[in-house]
């Protein structure tokens, strides 16, 4: 039996736990706020997954649409009020999507995702020659280095302008990395689409390739990559001896100036790194703004105008979305931008490549956090 499966009592119990009504965080659930419909609330979706899995409910298009509609941001779930693991509902959603795929729903979307990845040489985004050259020239490499700089597809495609500063940052730490700097396709999209077997096989191949190169340490540049190589690898039963270090753990400062700092779902919710982001942008003088939301505090500060928390509204899905209701996704993005503008920062510094790309598409001037690392 595959470890990561609803047939495994561990994950069956997780799903059962998620299906219990706990609606205290409904006012922070993006899907509910966009629709005002409780059927989008995490516990309700978990109930549908569990009932279909147990054979108590016939799978339907309505149920499939609910299961596949979430941003997978982890916002508004029960764990945020009760100190539980932030991964339970995400795991349940992934396995729920696999369940509906097996019943024939969203098969066309899954096939389209597979075709996209295959047509781009096992990448989720197209990578052009100019970007490859940019990264190659900017990053300090050493042929026999046992350190891998895990430049993921989204960072390569959306944030190539940050390569020069990232190279300077690594040089300042006297870090030379292996000459193969990617881009690397992490494979989260497989799991987000419910293609669990594909995702596990991709993970194992990726880990094997890194170890075959003699890699011992991996520096990740995004919350998603870090989550993949740590939490999700462990959940699906893939063990490795690689030391996974996030770029934020090497920094002493993010040199912001009266900025709104957007942490992103992976950093703030799934990895619990909000405190680190706040420490890296610590205000010398800080005054709370008392009419801001309870869990989304704005402040008057010299470096940062908000306190990063796990409750921040997601701008978008922080992966390439193969499904979803465009109207729902647009509404969530608009709410996030409204929250950001309320803070009144001089600039927006974004810690996720997908959100960085999305904010620019929405007409907002955003900066990428790799450019501000010291």
């Amino acid at each position: 039996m595959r470890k990561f499966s609803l047939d495994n009592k561990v994950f069956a119990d997780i799903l059962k736990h998620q299906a219990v009504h706990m609606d205290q965080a409904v006012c922070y659930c993006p899907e509910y706020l966009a629709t005002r419909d409780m059927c989008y609330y995490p516990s309700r979706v978990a109930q549908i997954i569990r009932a279909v899995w147990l054979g108590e409910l016939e799978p339907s298009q309505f149920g499939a649409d609910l299961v596949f509609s979430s941003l997978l941001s982890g916002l508004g779930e029960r764990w945020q009020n009760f100190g539980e693991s932030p991964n339970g509902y995400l795991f349940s959603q992934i396995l729920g999507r696999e369940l509906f795929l097996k019943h024939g729903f969203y098969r066309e979307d899954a096939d389209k995702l597979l075709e996209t990845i295959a047509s781009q040489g096992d990448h989720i985004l197209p990578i052009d020659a100019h970007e490859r050259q940019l990264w190659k020239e900017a990053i300090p490499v050493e042929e026999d280095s046992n350190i891998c700089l895990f430049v993921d597809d989204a960072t390569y495609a959306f944030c190539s302008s940050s390569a020069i500063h990232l190279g300077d940052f690594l040089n300042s730490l006297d870090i030379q990395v292996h000459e193969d700097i990617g881009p690397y396709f992490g494979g989260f999209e497989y799991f987000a689409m419910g293609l669990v077997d594909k995702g596990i096989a991709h993970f194992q191949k990726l880990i094997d390739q890194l170890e075959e190169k003699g890699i011992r340490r991996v520096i990740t540049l995004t919350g998603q990559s870090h989550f993949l190589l740590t939490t999700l690898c462990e959940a699906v039963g893939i063990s490795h001896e690689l030391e996974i270090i996030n770029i934020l753990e090497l920094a002493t400062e993010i040199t912001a100036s009266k900025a709104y700092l957007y942490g992103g779902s992976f950093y703030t919710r799934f990895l619990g790194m909000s405190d680190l982001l706040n420490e890296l942008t610590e205000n010398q003088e800080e005054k709370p703004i008392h009419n801001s939301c309870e869990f989304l505090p704005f402040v008057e500060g010299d470096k940062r105008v908000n306190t990063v928390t796990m409750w921040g509204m997601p701008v978008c899905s922080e992966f390439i979305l193969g499904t979803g209701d465009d109207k729902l996704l647009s509404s969530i993005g608009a709410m996030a931008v409204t929250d950001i503008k309320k803070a009144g920062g001089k600039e927006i510094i974004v810690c996720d490549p997908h959100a960085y790309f999305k904010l620019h598409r929405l007409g907002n001037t955003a900066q990428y956090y790799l450019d501000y690392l010291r």
Side-chain angles (χ1 to χ4, degrees):
M1 181 186 71
R2 193 183 74 199
K3 175 187 176 183
F4 188 61
S5 169
L6 290 176
D7 293 327
N8 181 336
K9 187 176 184 300
V10 172
F11 293 101
D13 285 347
I14 287 173
L15 175 58
K16 179 180 178 180
H17 190 64
Q18 296 300 317
V20 175
H21 281 252
M22 287 290 182
D23 302 338
Q24 286 88 338
V26 67
C27 59
Y28 288 94
C29 175
E31 292 81 5
Y32 169 76
L33 290 174
T35 63
R36 300 295 174 176
D37 195 333
M38 283 299 293
C39 67
Y40 285 94
Y41 193 67
S43 64
R44 310 301 198 274
V45 177
Q47 287 169 4
I48 290 172
I49 295 170
R50 185 170 179 266
V52 171
W53 174 60
L54 293 174
E56 298 171 350
L57 181 70
E58 283 294 316
S60 66
Q61 188 64 53
F62 175 75
D65 290 344
L66 290 178
V67 171
F68 276 92
S69 65
S70 170
L71 287 171
L72 300 184
S73 69
L75 184 55
E77 296 164 19
R78 52 171 294 149
W79 65 268
Q80 293 165 312
N81 278 314
F82 301 102
E84 301 167 357
S85 167
N87 305 311
Y89 184 66
L90 175 62
F91 293 159
S92 296
Q93 276 280 75
I94 290 170
L95 292 171
R97 292 181 178 190
E98 181 184 44
L99 177 67
F100 273 89
L101 276 182
K102 288 178 177 177
H103 282 287
F105 296 93
Y106 280 83
R107 192 69 250 176
E108 185 176 327
D109 297 271
D111 290 340
K112 184 178 179 181
L113 176 67
L114 294 174
E115 290 170 9
T116 298
I117 295 170
S119 69
Q120 295 173 164
D122 203 25
H123 289 281
I124 192 64
L125 287 165
I127 310 298
D128 67 28
H130 172 70
E131 287 159 346
R132 285 185 182 276
Q133 189 63 26
L134 226 171
W135 285 93
K136 183 179 178 180
E137 293 174 356
I139 303 301
V141 300
E142 187 176 289
E143 185 177 354
D144 59 351
S145 174
N146 66 2
I147 304 172
C148 169
L149 185 67
F150 196 88
V151 188
D152 56 282
D153 282 1
T155 301
Y156 236 95
F158 301 148
C159 309
S160 289
S161 61
S162 296
I164 293 174
H165 182 84
L166 179 60
D168 291 341
F169 176 70
L170 293 173
N171 276 320
S172 73
L173 299 174
D174 196 25
I175 293 176
Q176 290 81 43
V177 300
H178 191 276
E179 60 185 348
D180 186 358
I181 59 171
Y184 293 95
F185 171 43
F188 186 78
E189 280 77 5
Y190 285 128
F191 292 93
M193 194 67 237
L195 295 165
V196 176
D197 287 333
K198 290 280 187 182
I200 292 173
H202 180 82
F203 263 7
Q204 189 63 67
K205 181 181 177 182
L206 180 61
I207 296 299
D208 290 345
Q209 288 175 341
L210 292 173
E211 292 180 335
E212 286 168 7
K213 293 173 186 173
I215 299 299
R216 294 292 176 267
R217 302 171 71 197
V218 178
I219 299 173
T220 58
L221 301 180
T222 65
Q224 187 203 96
S225 296
H226 200 79
F227 178 80
L228 285 168
L229 294 171
T230 55
T231 306
L232 198 49
C233 258
E234 181 181 356
V236 302
I238 294 177
S239 60
H240 58 75
E241 300 300 320
L242 300 171
E243 180 185 4
I244 312 298
I245 304 165
N246 186 259
I247 195 72
L248 289 173
E249 298 171 290
L250 300 176
T252 58
E253 183 184 6
I254 296 175
T255 58
S257 177
K258 295 187 181 297
Y260 184 98
L261 187 62
Y262 178 88
S265 299
F266 282 98
Y267 273 141
T268 65
R269 286 186 273 283
F270 297 125
L271 294 171
M273 295 174 72
S274 297
D275 288 345
L276 177 57
L277 288 168
N278 288 321
E279 289 167 9
L280 290 172
T281 53
E282 185 176 7
N283 287 316
Q284 296 301 308
E285 295 182 6
E286 183 174 294
K287 180 181 178 182
I289 295 177
H290 296 296
N291 64 350
S292 55
C293 294
E294 179 183 8
F295 296 138
L296 295 171
F298 299 152
V299 298
E300 291 182 11
D302 54 296
K303 295 186 70 173
R304 175 176 31 79
V305 299
N306 65 309
T307 299
V308 181
T309 71
M310 64 181 178
W311 301 93
M313 181 70 69
V315 170
C316 61
S317 298
E318 293 174 359
F319 56 94
I320 300 299
L321 190 69
T323 62
D325 181 324
D326 289 339
K327 184 178 179 181
L328 171 65
L329 301 178
S330 296
S331 296
I332 292 172
M335 288 188 292
V337 170
T338 298
D339 285 345
I340 291 171
K341 288 182 176 178
K342 281 180 182 177
K346 287 169 54 180
E347 59 185 2
I348 308 167
I349 297 179
V350 186
C351 302
D352 176 82
H354 299 280
Y356 173 73
F357 178 69
K358 182 68 172 181
L359 281 168
H360 278 291
R361 289 190 66 185
L362 292 173
N364 297 273
T365 302
Q367 311 300 323
Y368 200 55
Y369 82 112
L370 293 181
D371 292 333
Y372 292 79
L373 296 182
R374 296 290 186 273

